[in-house]
Amino acid sequence: PNFSHIKLIIFVCVLVFQYTRVWIPDPEDVWRAAEIIKDYTEGEPILYLKLEDETVIYYPLDQCTVSRPLEYRIGPKDNALPFLRNPDILVGENDLTALSYLHEPAVLHNLKVRFTESNHIYTYCGIVLVAINPYEQLQIYGEEVINAYSGQNMGDMDPHIFAVAEEAYKQMARDERNQSIIVSGESGAGKTVSAKYAMRFFATVGGSANDTNVEEKVLASSPIMEAIGNAKTTRNDNSSRFGKYIQIGFDRSYHIIGANMRTYLLEKSRVVFQAEDERNYHIFYQLCASASLPEFKDLALSNAEDFIFTSQGENIFIEGVNDAEDFEKTREAFTLLGVNDSNQSSIFRIIASILHLGNVEICSERDGDSCHILKNDPHLAHFCQLLGVELEQMEHWLCHRKLVTTSETYVKNMSRKQAANARDALAKHIYAHMFDWIVEYVNKSLHTSSKQHSFIGVLDIYGFETFEINSFEQFCINYANEKLQQQFNQHVFKLEQEEYVKEQIPWTLIDFYDNQPCIDVIEAKLGILDLLDEECKVPKGTDQNWCQKLYDRLSSSVHFQKPRMSNTSFIVIHFADKVEYQCDGFLEKNRDTVYEEQINILKASKFQLMADLFQDTNKDSSISTSSSSKSSRVNVRASKPTPKVPNKEHRKTVGHQFRSSLQLLMETLNATTPHYVRCIKPNDEKEAFSFESRRAVQQLRACGVLETIRISAAGYPSRWTYPDFFNRYRVLMKKSDMTVGDKKLVCRNLLETLVKDPDKFQFGKTKIFFRAGQVAYLEKLRADKFRSACIKIQKTVRGWLQRVRYQKIRKSAINLQRYGRGYMARRYAEQLRLTRAALIFQKQYRMVRERRDYLRVRQAVVTIQAFTRGMLTRRIFQEFLLHHKAMIIQKHVRGWLTRRKFRRARNAAITIQCAYRLMRAKRELKQLKIEARSAQHLKKLNTGMENKIVQLQRKMDDQVQSKNHGSTHVVEVHCSIRLVAYIMSAIMQRSRQGDGSQLTSLQDELEKLRAELQEAHTHMKKLEEKHSNEKMGLEQVSYQSLKGRKYIFFLQGYQESSASQSVGRVQAELDEERQRYQNLLREFSRLEQRYDNLQEAKVCFQPGHKRNNSTQSSLESDSNYPSISTSELGDTDDEMGVEKAAMDIGVFMKLQKRVRELEQERKRLQVNLEKMEDQVNCKVGPCLSLRQELESENKKLKNDLNELRKAIADRASQNSSSNELQDGYNLLLGQLKAANEELEVRKEEVLILRTQIVSAAHQKEETTNQIVSALTLCGANSSCCVLFSSVHFLSLPPPLSSFLCLSLSLSVSLSCLAGGSKASDWGYLNEDGELGLAYQGLKQVARLLEAQLQSQARKHEDELAAFNTQIELLKDDIEKKQEMLNHTMSLSPEAQVEYSVQQEITRLTNDNLVRTLQPPTPYTIIHIIILFIMSQKAKLILYQHSSFETLCEYGPKDTYWNGTRREKDFEGMLEYYKEDEALLVKTLITDMKPNAVSATVPCLPAYILFMCIRHADYINDDQKVHSLLTSTINAIKKVLKKNNNDFEMTSFWLANTSRLLHCLKQYSGDEAFMTQNTAKQNEHCLKNFDLAEYRQVLSDLSIQIYQQLIKVAEHMMQPMIVSAMLESESIPSLAGVKPMGYRNRSSSMDGEGPGSYTLEALIRQLGQFHSVMGEHGLDPEIAGQVVRQLFYSINAVTLNNLLLRKDVCSWSTGMQLRYNISQMEEWLRGKNLHQSGAVVNIEPVIQAAQLLQVKKKTSQDAEAICSLCTSLTMQQIVKILNLYTPLNEFEERVTVSFIRNIQNRLQDTNDVPMLLVDTKHTFPVLFPYTPSALSLETLHIPANLSLDFLTRV
């Protein structure tokens, strides 16, 4: 339709010139693009065009065929001027009304470009959303997309069904007016899916406020209705075969409270008949697919192919659909809606019975007028069994019918065809009633008792349909679409009128298409429906008669036509197309008859549901009551009952019912604000993103989209706001106009200058309205301005380039000239130099020639002179030579004669000497032989053997000595026994009261000591044997350990490598676990919130706690045996004399063997020594040092022996003379001998030491027993015995203890002896000499212990220094006690008594603990010795000491402070009374304001609460601890619930809660948390309670507060993000403005003026968040995590809006976005938060900004994009490239091939198929342990907190 041509012809004539792009009709593509190649002037009949692909088409012209470009004929009988094409910048707009030229080809092309190239299925067309079915699942319907569209204006985001739903929801809330969303389109266009997504949006955004889950029930109704009302057709696999209108009800808070569903015109005929490649309703196939389930065995079902009603389409499967799985979803939906299992089973029985009814075989009789059903038909039996009806009755009435007259009732036989039709009618009737019952039940489930405030209706109704054969169903569908199109046209016109009135511009009546005449043809009096109902009332009415009546009555109407070749069809001219309807079946379908007898049988069903379905059947359908007709076989019966006269309700036909329901629907829609969604089916092959222009144009014409364009084009379709127009077209203004402040005036002046016709535009209040094409004209002027500017720039640049080129050429010429002239000058200079050189050469040559002649003559003269002089000289030399030779001969002859004379004399002397020496040698030999036979010589030879014998003898003596050592020890023991016996005898003799029992006990003691001595010898032998066995075992263990060391090292290496690999995996699992845990906490918090809202009850959490025993302590003692480490000593060279006697090498080998034996003996003795030390538990310092010295010496000897062996081996390998070997060998033997002697000496020392240790141990026991017995015998007083016992049992070193015991024994013995009659002198006591010997032994022991006493004295000095330090501490303690005394005196008398009692109880408790744990000190030992020396005053001193302690413990309180005992410091605690707990919680939590403690220590309430908890723990009050912690947690929850939108309050309590948690950890006493504590802080740890469970509760509470903090911060930032990041001009004059469409006048924006936020506002808000958290003392790590989460939210919201908005996907937006991100990164660095991970979270936005700025043309660009955008998914990259929009003509769009290249490169990536970022994702929070350095005792509580009831303790 050329609806815009007439008004634009003048304007088009102006623009039709060469290179203008136009649209021309095409039989295949409907419209094709072309370009004018020759200017057109008005009146020319031909327009010369060229296609875009440069194709040349041959057209006949003037009866001849020539090859020329396409000719487009123009004239009255041909075509009008072609439609102009829009600029490329407008192609792909998301709103068709934004196009400059509004016509059919522009709309079609824009939709095709968006659908095929950008894969955008939604496009706005004014108030209509055009949705094209992609036939592919798209990731654009997730919850994150719903969140992105929620709260946004309709024109701000890309077109989407969610945008329409949000618009309806916002208008309902703002205008308080009901809304409707009308979804229409032909079968397969996606109506059902669009309606489903709209309801999902409402369910998500307007979820119910309680636990009724109405939104889930609303969504659950969809699978049920799809199962029973949708079927597969040739055009759609899930086609809705009924219309439905769902009303979703909302309360005053706009939460869903219920829903209601209306259905229209179910296609019942599909139950019994399906065309080829179609299916019945899905529920039949779903039930057959699940027939194998146990609960469906009674249904007797099988495959769907076995039933006639499901196999007529010959294809029972749908590709990609699993009927069994869909059936499970249907059952789940039934359950969710409250349909119990019994009703579900009944529904499935009815469906199965319909299938069996279709398989009932009806056989015809021979006459053809009657029929019957086979006996034992299984399907009929199953049908009757499933429905619970009588088999015989059903079998009879399926083949017969009843005719009722006024007097009689007839039963008439039916033919086979009639019976089959009746059977099918019964099946349809049953299914229709079941459908209505399910709809009614769904409505009951969705009904609510709450009052409905408003509703949003979603109408999913069939679109305009036209098939080859159109019947009654298509007629009703097209009738409904005519009514909807009329309502649509009126609404669009109304909106246009309201817009003009609102902007106060003059307007005239717009002529739009009104389809009321067509509607009158259908529904008016004597219209098609009226005549159809009239014909249905006629007893013998037929379809042919009715069609003839239509011809007679409606032939005059322009919307009704009679086909030329048919008398049984008629044509109706609808608004969309002409449709020819076949009259066959119209009457039958309109009557919808079913026989009453069959219905009565169903009413008598045994199943209640089946009976209920047909209780009111007479109200819903007309029962056939036709009069009698002739029949071959008629049975006449008596008419018993009186026939019922049918009322008006019985006479309602299907057409009448449909017209009534349609009228009700139109009334509902007219009472609401409608929103339109037009679904388009792009192709009939169901190919993904395939667009067929012919099918699309047909649907666009049918659904009213083009009518919307026509109405818009008839008025002012293009609208610009003044700021947008100013920013876009300011390039057309003069410089003087830019200085005017009033932009409206500037725009008005500009338009009046540019557009001379005032009718082409109008000025409104806020917008400028343009006629169609004016924006394109302005765009042309703007492009021309830019083009002229570009030409000027090019001219200037080219001139500059030419000047630069000229300057380069001139400079080059000058350089060439300079170099040329220089070259000529250099050549001339070279010539001059060559001439001068030639002259010089000539001169030199001549000189050389003359010189050569001269030299030749001179050489000849010199040669002659030389030869002459040589000859003379040679003659003289010959004479001299002859004289010289004669002299040499004479010299040699004279020398030879002299030497011969000397030799003769010497030989004679030698002969004489030899004879003499021979004589002396013979004499000496004879003397030696005589001496050899003497004994002295033999004695010297045996010297070495004598040394060896001496050594062996010495060793034998040592062995004898070791054997006698035991006897020596026995002698010593006997001596001690004699001493004891002597003392005992003396005591017995001098005692006045002798007792025979005491002597017996002493003898028993003596025998006991002897037995113990024997046991000690036996035990020593056992230890030696055990040592040898352990040595062998240790050697084996050492070998095995060495063998397994490599395996251990391998395991360690493997563990280290595996540990490094598993660290990342363990960390990831920990993050996931923490994420799941925090999600559970979030869900718990949500449930708790909902519970509080419902119950309004106080939630009290009372976890238990563990109590530790206050007296429990662990004592650690150091080992009494320090490890002894021997140091390796260097070799020492002992100088020894070398033995001259020879020694056999065998002796040396024996010595080596003996050395090894001694080494083993030494080791054995060392082990025995250590064991003996363990047995006696003695700490002998000098003995230990001696043992270390011996071990060092032995090590030294061993090293010397090794060096000797090594030296011998080296010497043996050398080939030296025998003398040197003998000397070295003798030297080594000497050294070895010295080593052996030294080893023997050390062995003796070891034996002596061992003897002393054993004897000391035995002596200690014996002495103790002796002295105790002696004291007892002597009758010593109890104080001495107690004194001795205390000395014995004190933990004293053994030497000191032994010395004290011996001293005591001697003193007591002397005192006892002195009491006798005889004098106590040594002569008397030593009459047998035994006491003297004992005294000498004691003196030796005293000397041995003297060294130990000296070391003990040194230790005492050190302890004295420690005591001095303690004295200073005690002085400080006394000062503190004095302060406490002053404080006590300042209290009232009652408070003093209470305070003193409390302090005394505490002191006694700690004093008892200290006394129990305190070991004996040297002061105690000294005190005991003094008591013994002053034996007479012992009782008095002990009495005074005990009296002093008694006074300290039980004395009056005023004497308590004078004691010197040290008390524990309990500062850092706050005491309060139990009744003040509520006041404490109210003051610190409920009424606390953050600014009240802003000037104090951060987290002050947490510290105060912990100090109160410490005091409760200190006094061991578990109820108080439990009550305070529970009250604190509940109070914090209430405060946060009350201030759930206050960031400052939430941050304040997050800081305090985390600090209280850290305090509970820091002072818990756990070593893991005490590593950074000071000594004072360790003293403040909790003593009695383990609060680990409360720490967990506080940790969970901290996580909940953190999540609330994030929620509040995100809610505050949400309105700022998009405006600040994408819309604000951080870089002025960079962003461009594009022509916007109708959506910018969305009613949701009226009067709302969205807030404009800049980047500075967003950064300022972030800074405020950070400063608030810092002021409240929140841990920096937690603050960093908050900033990280907020940056993630900024990234998610920004990226999601970027992916959903075409207007911001441009190069300038990328530049602005990159600048904004850099500013935010700078803020992070300024706050020292760049390490918090926030930058990583905004990496996707950074890469998106870079993607908008990079080149997008070549393969290299594609590769660069793939390597650059690593944080973006493939879907996001492709989406941004598809959305990329040039802002001017100088930019180019991204080609489809480039996008496909990107997709191919990114196919192998393993990215999650995600388009939008999850805005609700929360990172798991970590609360790192950060102990406080603040000391509790230094904390000051400000007076303004009014905490006077707290007392510092």
Side-chain angles (χ1 to χ4, degrees), residues 173-228:
R174 187 191 62 227
D175 302 336
E176 295 188 355
R177 178 179 173 86
N178 298 328
Q179 308 289 315
S180 293
I181 298 178
I182 302 173
V183 184
S184 63
E186 70 174 45
S187 178
K191 303 184 300 297
T192 303
V193 176
S194 297
K196 185 192 305 183
Y197 286 138
M199 290 189 293
R200 178 186 296 178
F201 180 88
F202 295 135
T204 303
V205 175
S208 59
N210 47 31
D211 294 335
T212 56
N213 296 328
V214 178
E215 66 276 9
E216 296 181 4
K217 293 182 180 180
V218 172
L219 296 179
S221 64
S222 296
I224 296 176
M225 300 310 299
E226 289 182 7
I228 65 175

Side-chain angles (χ1 to χ4, degrees), residues 1360-1398:
L1360 183 60
F1363 288 158
N1364 294 329
T1365 305
Q1366 292 182 1
I1367 289 172
E1368 298 297 328
L1369 295 176
L1370 289 174
K1371 290 181 179 179
D1372 297 337
D1373 193 17
I1374 290 173
E1375 294 177 359
K1376 293 182 180 179
K1377 297 300 187 299
Q1378 189 64 33
E1379 293 177 359
M1380 295 175 64
L1381 179 60
N1382 297 333
H1383 174 69
T1384 305
M1385 297 304 295
S1386 63
L1387 299 175
S1388 62
E1390 294 80 7
Q1392 289 182 7
V1393 173
E1394 183 178 358
Y1395 185 82
S1396 300
V1397 171
Q1398 183 65 36

Side-chain angles (χ1 to χ4, degrees), residues 1520-1533:
K1520 197 171 184 180
V1521 172
H1522 168 74
S1523 176
L1524 179 58
L1525 283 172
T1526 304
S1527 301
T1528 299
I1529 294 171
N1530 292 333
I1532 293 175
K1533 289 182 179 180

Side-chain angles (χ1 to χ4, degrees), residues 761-781:
F761 59 89
Q762 290 289 340
F763 294 100
K765 293 177 62 178
T766 60
K767 302 175 185 177
I768 306 175
F769 292 76
F770 296 95
R771 295 283 188 184
Q774 293 303 311
V775 175
Y777 174 69
L778 295 176
E779 286 293 319
K780 175 182 176 299
L781 295 179

Side-chain angles (χ1 to χ4, degrees), residues 1333-1382:
L1333 294 175
Y1335 180 74
Q1336 294 296 327
L1338 290 176
K1339 288 176 64 178
Q1340 293 178 1
V1341 173
R1343 294 191 192 98
L1344 182 63
L1345 298 177
E1346 185 178 0
Q1348 298 180 7
L1349 289 174
Q1350 292 176 358
S1351 63
Q1352 192 70 24
R1354 288 192 295 270
K1355 293 182 179 178
H1356 291 168
E1357 293 176 357
D1358 297 336
E1359 291 175 354
L1360 183 60
F1363 288 158
N1364 294 329
T1365 305
Q1366 292 182 1
I1367 289 172
E1368 298 297 328
L1369 295 176
L1370 289 174
K1371 290 181 179 179
D1372 297 337
D1373 193 17
I1374 290 173
E1375 294 177 359
K1376 293 182 180 179
K1377 297 300 187 299
Q1378 189 64 33
E1379 293 177 359
M1380 295 175 64
L1381 179 60
N1382 297 333

Side-chain angles (χ1 to χ4, degrees), residues 1438-1593:
L1438 290 173
Y1439 176 76
Q1440 292 176 354
H1441 182 69
S1442 60
S1443 299
F1444 177 73
E1445 291 183 347
T1446 305
L1447 290 173
C1448 292
E1449 295 178 359
Y1450 303 101
K1453 297 298 179 290
D1454 55 355
T1455 61
Y1456 167 71
W1457 301 105
N1458 297 326
T1460 59
R1461 183 173 52 84
R1462 179 177 178 270
E1463 293 187 2
K1464 196 170 183 180
D1465 188 7
F1466 293 106
E1467 292 186 0
M1469 293 185 292
L1470 294 176
E1471 182 183 6
Y1472 68 95
Y1473 293 105
K1474 180 63 177 177
E1475 54 270 15
D1476 292 335
E1477 180 180 301
L1479 180 59
L1480 175 65
V1481 173
K1482 183 176 184 296
T1483 305
L1484 283 182
I1485 301 176
T1486 307
D1487 296 341
M1488 175 61 67
K1489 302 298 181 183
N1491 55 4
V1493 293
S1494 59
T1496 61
V1497 177
C1499 304
L1500 180 63
Y1503 286 115
I1504 296 176
L1505 289 171
F1506 178 72
M1507 293 166 70
C1508 295
I1509 294 171
R1510 274 199 61 226
H1511 183 267
D1513 171 80
Y1514 170 69
I1515 63 176
N1516 200 8
D1517 191 345
D1518 56 347
Q1519 294 182 357
K1520 197 171 184 180
V1521 172
H1522 168 74
S1523 176
L1524 179 58
L1525 283 172
T1526 304
S1527 301
T1528 299
I1529 294 171
N1530 292 333
I1532 293 175
K1533 289 182 179 180
K1534 290 182 179 179
V1535 169
L1536 293 174
K1537 181 180 178 181
K1538 181 180 179 181
N1539 302 275
N1540 56 357
N1541 293 324
D1542 190 345
F1543 180 87
E1544 185 178 5
M1545 186 66 73
T1546 308
S1547 172
F1548 177 76
W1549 282 114
L1550 176 60
N1552 281 275
T1553 305
S1554 60
R1555 178 49 55 194
L1556 181 58
L1557 174 62
H1558 294 330
C1559 288
L1560 291 179
K1561 291 181 179 179
Q1562 184 177 2
Y1563 297 98
S1564 63
D1566 192 350
E1567 294 182 358
F1569 300 125
M1570 296 171 60
T1571 55
Q1572 302 181 23
N1573 287 3
T1574 62
K1576 194 67 174 177
Q1577 288 176 335
N1578 288 333
E1579 293 177 3
H1580 291 169
C1581 290
L1582 301 177
K1583 304 298 182 183
N1584 297 317
F1585 300 110
D1586 182 10
L1587 303 179
E1589 295 183 2
Y1590 283 102
R1591 293 206 303 265
Q1592 182 63 38
V1593 174

Side-chain angles (χ1 to χ4, degrees), residues 1150-1163:
K1150 292 179 181 180
L1151 289 174
Q1152 286 184 337
K1153 182 178 181 181
R1154 180 59 181 167
V1155 168
R1156 287 195 294 270
E1157 292 175 355
L1158 292 175
E1159 183 68 15
Q1160 293 177 359
E1161 180 67 13
R1162 185 190 64 78
K1163 293 181 179 179

Side-chain angles (χ1 to χ4, degrees), residues 245-249 258-262 446 452 455-458 668:
Y245 182 70
I246 301 177
Q247 289 184 354
I248 303 175
N260 184 60
M261 183 188 304
R262 300 186 214 163
L446 299 178
Q452 177 178 292
F455 71 84
I456 297 178
V458 180
T668 303

